[in-house]
Amino acid sequence: MSNFPTIHNITYEGPTSKNPYAFKFYNPEEKIGGRTMEEYLRFAVAYWHTFTEDLSDPFGVGTASRPWDKFSGLDLAKARVEAAFEFFEKLGVPYFCFHDVDIAPEGDTLRESNQNLDTIVAMIKDYMKDSKTKLLWNTVNNFTHPRFVHGAASSNNADVFAYAAAKVKKGLEIGKELGAENYVFWGGREGYETLLNTDMKLELDNLGRFFHMAVDYAKEIGFDGQFLIEPKPKEPTSHQYDFDVASGYAFLQHYGLQEHFKFNIEANHATLAGHTFEHELRYARVNGMLGSVDANQGHPLLGWDTDEFPSDLYSTTLAMYEIIKNGGLGRGGLNFDAKVRRGSFTPEDLFHAHIVGMDSFAVGLKVAQQLVDDKVLDDFIEERYSSFTEGIGLDIVEGRADFHKLEEHALALTDINHTSGRTEFIKATINQYLLRAFAD
Ligand code: XUL
Ligand code: CO
């Protein structure tokens, strides 16, 4: 029986379509920069927000109305798999992502939890045989259960470190079984509540040890998915160790892990860290560490992780600019780590939400590709830094300058000439590109 009986396959109908269940801008087959939109954007549905989420918040119970609500336990898990693959097919989405606890209920023991996982993973594998939807990444939830009250790999309790390791071990086995392209580590409670009771050095060292063990185990079983760290500054901890890309990258380098990891960058985590989405993408890109993206957006008036579906075209354009400049996302993709608002509680809203997200990134891709093709930013930036292409600037970048030489140069200066940064002009130009992209 269908879970979404009123919805047909969502197809591209173009910018003027009045059909709410159609893409206006995402045209999977349309080629942009030599690749189809589908190949470039690599969209994924986040299992937890779309099939497990009940839309509760700290002040109220869940409001979501879902056809699978009538089931419980393993039956519920099975009903969700059925619904998920119907949803993937109707949306035409190439990937999905999940945590262990999203797909199967935890048992009373680790052994029982693993058995539940085996049952559901076998079912998912079966469904995947007849589906074009593949696994972008999986991960494990090492933060919800009370055993993780003091963290997982950064817990003060060695038993918890072991438990967390056992869960990741199983996660890697599942990733291999289902052909995951990546494996994600989001440090849910890998941080601290207060320094007053925290051995920061031991916690960081243990995190480093944990990641090395994960790398070793992946190698041992022949799991070749890309490892990704997903930075977030806080929430639920007051300080999370992989605060942002810059601190995560320093951590990886310090512990000799940088060869084995890239970053999964979430827009709302970037803004929580006091950065823009594009800042985090840029920082990762210029260091060769941009792996994948959790595509969502925060609410500008709220200071927490609201996980909204992306609809801000300016933001998707600047994000796609970074992704294009990165040569795409490789094995990564754009995972909608986003939930419908509590008031959008019907199954249909799940489609509307993904449609706006996919359309918004399609617009971003198209506009960003035109900005790249026309070298709108490149030409300006090249000119802005041209002082480093000759004279003393060239000496600096080619390593021929020292403080003696620079002092000599500075003493001889009569004037320092600047040119305008032209921020407003550049923004006006981007607006022009945004409005022009679908004009013809
Ligand atoms: C939490 C978050 C996670 C990760 C996966 O803020 O983003 O859902 O994406 O654990
Ligand atoms: Co995320």
Side-chain angles (χ1 to χ4, degrees):
M1 220 192 62
S2 170
N3 283 273
F4 310 103
T6 59
I7 315 278
H8 301 290
N9 288 356
I10 313 291
T11 56
Y12 172 72
E13 291 187 7
T16 56
S17 166
K18 290 205 165 57
N19 177 2
Y21 297 104
F23 297 118
K24 318 298 182 301
F25 304 105
Y26 175 62
N27 182 4
E29 283 128 46
E30 185 178 336
K31 285 214 163 165
I32 307 276
R35 266 178 263 189
T36 66
M37 280 198 182
E38 184 171 30
E39 286 163 350
Y40 228 130
L41 296 166
R42 297 168 63 84
F43 289 124
V45 172
Y47 208 94
W48 53 104
H49 283 310
T50 297
F51 307 109
T52 317
E53 173 77 50
D54 69 356
L55 301 182
S56 54
D57 70 15
F59 303 96
V61 297
T63 57
S65 159
R66 305 286 180 247
W68 49 91
D69 282 345
K70 54 182 181 282
F71 298 103
S72 64
L74 266 180
D75 288 338
L76 172 59
K78 289 176 185 169
R80 282 181 174 137
V81 175
E82 219 170 279
F85 279 88
E86 183 184 343
F87 187 82
F88 301 154
E89 188 176 343
K90 289 191 166 169
L91 195 63
V93 75
Y95 290 101
F96 71 116
C97 302
F98 63 80
H99 303 79
D100 52 355
V101 304
D102 307 330
I103 60 163
E106 280 202 88
D108 291 333
T109 62
L110 181 61
R111 199 163 268 115
E112 213 177 290
S113 298
N114 286 345
Q115 278 161 6
N116 290 347
L117 279 168
D118 288 342
T119 305
I120 301 301
V121 167
M123 183 174 173
I124 289 178
K125 195 171 178 183
D126 231 36
Y127 268 82
M128 283 175 80
K129 278 187 202 138
D130 302 319
S131 168
K132 72 158 205 172
T133 306
K134 301 193 284 278
L135 186 57
L136 185 66
W137 54 260
N138 66 309
T139 183
V140 299
N141 177 323
N142 278 350
F143 42 91
T144 297
H145 192 279
R147 80 176 70 86
F148 299 118
V149 60
H150 297 309
S154 64
S155 174
N156 59 305
N157 188 329
D159 287 343
V160 176
F161 185 101
Y163 205 105
K167 288 193 74 191
V168 171
K169 176 175 178 288
K170 184 73 180 169
L172 294 171
E173 289 160 11
I174 291 171
K176 180 170 185 213
E177 177 77 5
L178 297 180
E181 308 244 359
N182 307 269
Y183 186 88
V184 163
F185 294 87
W186 169 59
R189 291 184 192 274
E190 310 295 26
Y192 61 80
E193 227 23 85
T194 169
L195 280 179
L196 299 174
N197 63 12
T198 299
D199 184 341
M200 185 191 269
K201 177 80 168 68
L202 179 64
E203 291 199 0
L204 285 167
D205 288 349
N206 277 352
L207 256 183
R209 292 182 182 105
F210 192 91
F211 286 134
H212 272 292
M213 290 183 216
V215 168
D216 291 346
Y217 189 66
K219 202 167 164 201
E220 182 185 327
I221 63 171
F223 172 62
D224 69 348
Q226 167 72 55
F227 274 17
L228 301 168
I229 298 255
E230 183 179 323
K232 185 177 183 181
K234 56 191 166 190
E235 200 203 89
T237 62
S238 51
H239 181 99
Q240 190 169 300
Y241 290 130
D242 44 8
F243 192 94
D244 58 3
V245 173
S247 57
Y249 188 40
F251 170 90
L252 291 174
Q253 290 177 94
H254 180 73
Y255 290 98
L257 288 157
Q258 70 274 22
E259 307 292 308
H260 306 289
F261 285 81
K262 285 189 174 172
F263 289 100
N264 180 40
I265 293 166
E266 178 163 328
N268 206 164
H269 294 181
T271 50
L272 261 185
H275 302 306
T276 59
F277 183 20
E278 57 273 18
H279 164 93
E280 287 292 80
L281 295 167
R282 176 76 62 96
Y283 204 102
R285 168 167 82 78
V286 300
N287 286 292
M289 297 296 282
L290 175 51
S292 198
V293 169
D294 268 9
N296 64 10
Q297 67 186 32
H299 194 291
L301 302 181
L302 303 174
W304 63 89
D305 195 15
T306 58
D307 281 346
E308 297 178 21
F309 274 85
S311 60
D312 177 342
L313 302 181
Y314 213 92
S315 173
T316 57
T317 298
L318 297 186
M320 285 314 302
Y321 187 83
E322 297 303 325
I323 291 168
I324 291 169
K325 285 286 190 182
N326 195 57
L329 287 169
R331 302 189 75 181
L334 294 170
N335 167 48
F336 290 113
D337 190 354
K339 63 182 172 206
V340 288
R341 299 303 86 193
R342 189 163 179 268
S344 307
F345 44 76
T346 72
E348 289 79 16
D349 288 309
L350 297 173
F351 284 92
H352 295 310
H354 284 84
I355 289 170
V356 72
M358 292 162 84
D359 271 343
S360 298
F361 269 93
V363 171
L365 170 61
K366 200 155 174 175
V367 177
Q369 185 66 52
Q370 290 175 4
L371 290 170
V372 170
D373 289 346
D374 293 355
K375 296 175 134 251
V376 172
L377 303 182
D378 280 339
D379 281 348
F380 188 79
I381 289 173
E382 199 181 307
E383 176 60 30
R384 187 158 184 257
Y385 290 86
S386 59
S387 71
F388 285 94
T389 60
E390 57 189 6
I392 193 71
L394 195 59
D395 288 344
I396 293 170
V397 298
E398 291 189 345
R400 288 188 299 272
D402 61 11
F403 271 15
H404 297 288
K405 191 166 183 174
L406 292 168
E407 183 191 46
E408 194 186 314
H409 181 85
L411 286 170
L413 286 171
T414 44
D415 269 326
I416 292 183
N417 296 316
H418 277 306
T419 52
S420 169
R422 297 261 190 271
T423 305
E424 297 77 6
F425 169 69
I426 295 169
K427 288 187 176 178
T429 310
I430 293 175
N431 282 352
Q432 244 182 328
Y433 273 75
L434 256 163
L435 292 170
R436 227 172 46 196
F438 293 87
D440 31 277

